[in-house]
Amino acid sequence: GAVVSQHPSWVICKSGTSVKIECRSLDFQATTMFWYRQFPKQSLMLMATSNEGSKATYEQGVEKDKFLINHASLTLSTLTVTSAHPEDSSFYICSAPTGPSTDTQYFGPGTRLTVL
Amino acid sequence: GENVEQHPSTLSVQEGDSAVIKCTYSDSASNYFPWYKQELGKRPQLIIDIRSNVGEKKDQRIAVTLNKTAKHFSLHITETQPEDSAVYFCAASISGGSYIPTFGRGTSLIVHP
């Protein structure tokens, strides 16, 4: 099946610093990728839709200036958490469909962010 | 927009019993309904899906049923095993990779040996 990777798998940073998370589709091209945030024992909360070559579409309530998304190539999307605060600590997961007409979402392994 | 309700939030069963998780959706345009299994600290993985032109689909011990009229779909796991313990998410979307799936809140399934 299709493979989506994420890097890093976990990161600890100090409050006020920025953290970049990468999401890669390893064996397919993804014009669209989705970024989710997941709190312990809760569902996946969609943060934004990353579109290759254009601006990301953010969900209501998600600060675009705080969560910067860049989809510079057909296999890479990045999420940068700027000026991180402890409340940004969470599990961040990306997903991608294998094509514009396919339905199955393949998820990355997730990144555990802890902000001290 | 779409709204997906999932019940129960927690389900505890004995090994060998059956488990049923139910979801309802609100948007009649939704036509693709996947189920994901997420083990602790890991990625969600697709375990089965169903489209609106089918009423039931089965894969070994797992089956999904869909009632389009009532806008609800269910996951059935028979002969549960301890390794089935995980969080299960239902989702609803419109077919096509660019359509965003709406997820249910998840069901924590615990299978006691």
Side-chain angles (χ1 to χ4, degrees):
Chain A
V3 178
V4 176
S5 71
Q6 262 183 261
H7 179 80
S9 56
W10 59 271
V11 57
I12 302 172
C13 69
K14 293 182 179 180
S15 187
T17 60
S18 295
V19 174
K20 180 184 284 188
I21 302 170
E22 295 184 346
C23 177
R24 291 183 185 272
S25 56
L26 298 185
D27 52 359
F28 66 98
Q29 295 182 331
T31 55
T32 301
M33 289 183 175
F34 301 108
W35 285 96
Y36 297 88
R37 184 173 180 176
Q38 187 176 36
F39 292 104
K41 298 186 178 181
Q42 293 192 25
S43 189
L44 298 157
M45 185 192 81
L46 180 68
M47 299 176 65
T49 302
S50 174
N51 304 297
E52 188 270 335
S54 64
K55 292 183 180 180
T57 304
Y58 290 82
E59 294 300 300
Q60 191 172 9
V62 178
E63 299 176 59
K64 63 177 73 175
D65 293 332
K66 180 167 184 61
F67 298 99
L68 300 179
I69 291 173
N70 184 279
H71 196 148
S73 78
L74 287 170
T75 58
L76 174 65
S77 174
T78 60
L79 167 67
T80 301
V81 183
T82 63
S83 187
H85 291 283
E87 55 265 32
D88 298 325
S89 298
S90 190
F91 194 52
Y92 292 87
I93 309 178
C94 66
S95 76
T98 55
S101 301
T102 58
D103 297 320
T104 303
Q105 295 284 335
Y106 290 92
F107 286 87
T111 297
R112 173 76 58 193
L113 170 63
T114 302
V115 184
L116 303 176
Chain B
E2 176 65 274
N3 181 48
V4 176
E5 298 283 341
Q6 183 172 347
H7 297 281
S9 57
T10 304
L11 180 58
S12 184
V13 301
Q14 288 296 129
E15 182 176 1
D17 288 350
S18 294
V20 180
I21 303 171
K22 299 182 179 182
C23 288
T24 60
Y25 62 100
S26 61
D27 189 349
S28 57
S30 292
N31 57 6
Y32 176 64
F33 308 93
W35 285 88
Y36 292 89
K37 175 183 180 181
Q38 186 179 27
E39 297 178 5
L40 190 63
K42 297 189 176 180
R43 76 184 84 196
Q45 293 197 306
L46 179 72
I47 56 172
I48 196 166
D49 57 11
I50 192 167
R51 300 178 190 280
S52 59
N53 60 345
V54 176
E56 183 175 358
K57 185 176 179 180
K58 191 173 181 180
D59 182 5
Q60 298 183 337
R61 296 187 297 110
I62 295 173
V64 57
T65 59
L66 170 66
N67 183 325
K68 278 194 303 182
T69 304
K71 296 199 192 76
H72 67 69
F73 56 112
S74 299
L75 177 71
H76 303 253
I77 305 174
T78 59
E79 300 172 32
T80 54
Q81 300 168 2
E83 50 265 39
D84 293 330
S85 297
V87 178
Y88 292 80
F89 293 99
C90 64
S93 73
I94 299 172
S95 183
S98 60
Y99 288 98
I100 303 166
T102 301
F103 287 88
R105 295 176 67 85
T107 295
S108 177
L109 174 64
I110 304 166
V111 181
H112 299 281

